[in-house]
Amino acid sequence: MTSVSIPITAVEFGEDVEQLVLEVLRSGMVAQGPKVAALESGFAELIGVRHAVAVNNGTTALVAAMQALGLGPGDEVITSPFTFVATLNAILESGATARFADIGADDFCLDPATLPAVLSDRTRVLMPVHLYGQSADLGKIAPMAAEHGLRIVEDAAQAHGARQHGRYAGSHDIGCFSFYATKNLTTGEGGMITTDDDALADRLRVLRNQGMRQRYVYEMAGHNYRMTDLQAALALPQLGRYQAQVQRRRANAARLTAALAGVPGLRLPAELPGREHVWHQYTVLVEESAGVTRDELGAGLAELGVGSGVDYPKPGFDYDCYRSHPRVVVEETPVAAAVARCCLSIPVHAGLGDDEIDQVASAVREVMSR
Ligand SMILES: *Cc1c(COP(=O)(O)O)cnc(C)c1O
């Protein structure tokens, strides 16, 4: 195999982005302004909701959503144990207690069947995470929330544009998105909250701006959660190209799946019926029966110039700082623990063409056959 270098993620900005950033610089208006407003309306349209509220990152989006709901000490939020740590940190920042249902082995997202066991009379919010770009099973989770009078805060940081039965991730109640550098849409750092709830959107707008609706008139104790027009200028041109980017990711995923089918000991990710995956990550499972371990596959790929990543090495609560935290309830989540031991993400991003995807696949085949 010839020497390659295929990173797990890549950011590329076109000339249109450079132009727009320059326009903002020359306007002298670099803080939150018209570009942020334009990004909000474009993003609301993408997700099919009435309101999108821009904030300075995805973690903030989650925190602000819970603050706007009035969450605090004594309230419980049920989320996935298999996610980036930001999900858990946001719950703790809100003052609420974090509890965990398990994930499904097919979609790596909250398994609705495991939710009832962790519901309590203190549960206020269900927080599904649309991991790797595939929607969690909101078809089952949303009715459960309605039945128990719970709000849904979707962690859609990895799932811009993902759908289940035609319904967008982030459109069920309150959606939280990230525009961090590695995400499908990026502003370097940035976030967005989506909702059809007029009153909640209004609270969020006031909350992010020091609790002010008008200058020096304070309605609540707020924060500075604002995004800048410079950041919005990075994302605006990406919005127009977003569907094409998703199609490229989908084509790359399909090509990987075709090329890796039948490799012994390798379980491939799948788009489940009724769902539209946006392939933020393409994550394989290295089964115990395989000739190599997950870590050996990652190391072997690195030798061949192919990037990979472990998303995520352990359930979120499985660290001393959380196990000893008074507001983290540690639960048994065997599926999450098992998946964390054998998962490996390989390159699928939209910067890759067919030839590179074929190189990724042959590198995986080569290492798996050792
Ligand atoms: C990236 C990410 C976040 C946090 O977003 P930031 O913009 O990095 O703060 C939250 N949840 C998940 C699942 C993520 O992948």
Side-chain angles (χ1 to χ4, degrees):
M1 188 165 166
T2 54
S3 130
V4 297
S5 176
I6 302 178
I8 184 74
T9 179
V11 258
E12 246 178 83
F13 295 110
E15 223 167 278
D16 49 359
V17 173
E18 291 177 13
Q19 283 306 319
L20 209 59
V21 170
L22 262 181
E23 187 190 305
V24 172
L25 285 178
R26 288 171 179 161
S27 78
M29 177 74 207
V30 292
Q32 182 184 301
K35 295 291 185 270
V36 169
L39 181 62
E40 290 179 333
S41 55
F43 198 77
E45 199 177 316
L46 175 74
I47 306 302
V49 291
R50 279 212 294 280
H51 308 282
V53 180
V55 291
N56 54 359
N57 62 62
T59 312
T60 299
L62 291 163
V63 171
M66 287 182 280
Q67 286 172 338
L69 291 174
L71 250 63
D75 296 325
E76 292 182 359
V77 177
I78 301 175
T79 193
S80 169
F82 194 58
T83 174
F84 182 54
V85 73
T87 317
L88 173 51
N89 282 339
I91 295 169
L92 297 177
E93 175 78 18
S94 79
T97 292
R99 300 200 57 164
F100 306 91
D102 207 349
I103 58 167
D106 294 324
D107 66 359
F108 309 115
C109 298
L110 271 187
D111 176 358
T114 65
L115 276 167
V118 285
L119 280 173
S120 83
D121 54 9
R122 291 177 299 278
T123 310
R124 294 273 316 277
V125 166
L126 301 182
M127 186 178 286
V129 181
H130 305 297
L131 204 73
Y132 305 150
Q134 177 150 246
S135 174
D137 191 357
L138 267 297
K140 292 215 179 89
I141 294 169
M144 292 173 84
E147 184 191 337
H148 296 276
L150 309 174
R151 298 298 296 253
I152 303 170
V153 176
E154 298 171 64
D155 183 339
Q158 304 185 359
H160 320 68
R163 283 184 282 183
Q164 184 188 18
H165 306 310
R167 185 106 188 239
Y168 281 94
S171 72
H172 293 83
D173 187 0
I174 307 167
C176 297
F177 293 84
S178 167
F179 300 136
Y180 180 63
T182 58
K183 303 292 158 76
N184 286 17
L185 279 169
T186 180
T187 58
E189 297 276 7
M192 193 72 84
I193 308 160
T194 51
T195 188
D196 281 325
D197 181 334
D198 299 340
L200 189 99
D202 183 66
R203 269 183 84 75
L204 286 166
R205 290 184 189 285
V206 175
L207 185 63
R208 84 168 156 188
N209 192 32
Q210 307 288 9
M212 288 192 295
R213 188 182 304 275
Q214 276 171 275
R215 197 168 180 78
Y216 305 145
V217 180
Y218 308 107
E219 292 184 12
M220 63 179 85
H223 297 267
N224 175 358
Y225 289 156
R226 295 182 305 261
M227 178 189 275
T228 69
D229 262 22
L230 276 172
Q231 290 164 290
L234 293 181
L236 270 170
Q238 296 172 52
L239 270 187
R241 291 195 288 273
Y242 189 60
Q243 296 306 344
Q245 190 209 135
V246 169
Q247 289 317 312
R248 184 70 240 173
R249 285 177 182 270
R250 290 176 62 80
N252 286 350
R255 198 170 177 92
L256 281 171
T257 295
L260 293 173
V263 173
L266 197 66
R267 244 190 70 194
L268 305 179
E271 180 177 65
L272 298 191
R275 305 197 209 182
E276 195 164 331
H277 205 314
V278 296
W279 297 102
H280 173 62
Q281 299 284 8
Y282 186 99
T283 303
V284 300
L285 302 184
V286 183
E287 293 171 332
E288 263 171 45
S289 63
V292 298
T293 65
R294 181 266 309 276
D295 292 345
E296 285 166 350
L297 175 57
L301 288 176
E303 280 168 26
L304 296 173
V306 173
S308 66
V310 176
D311 312 302
Y312 297 88
K314 287 207 271 185
F317 55 76
D318 195 11
Y319 295 82
D320 288 346
C321 58
Y322 297 118
R323 283 193 170 274
S324 63
H325 196 290
R327 287 185 288 109
V328 174
V329 181
V330 174
E331 330 261 357
E332 284 299 316
T333 57
V335 178
V339 170
R341 281 193 293 273
C342 66
C343 61
L344 192 73
S345 303
I346 60 176
V348 73
H349 60 84
L352 303 176
D354 288 353
D355 289 350
E356 286 149 314
I357 290 297
D358 292 347
Q359 287 168 337
V360 171
S362 68
V364 171
R365 279 188 168 274
E366 181 179 330
V367 180
M368 288 299 290
S369 66
R370 285 177 186 168

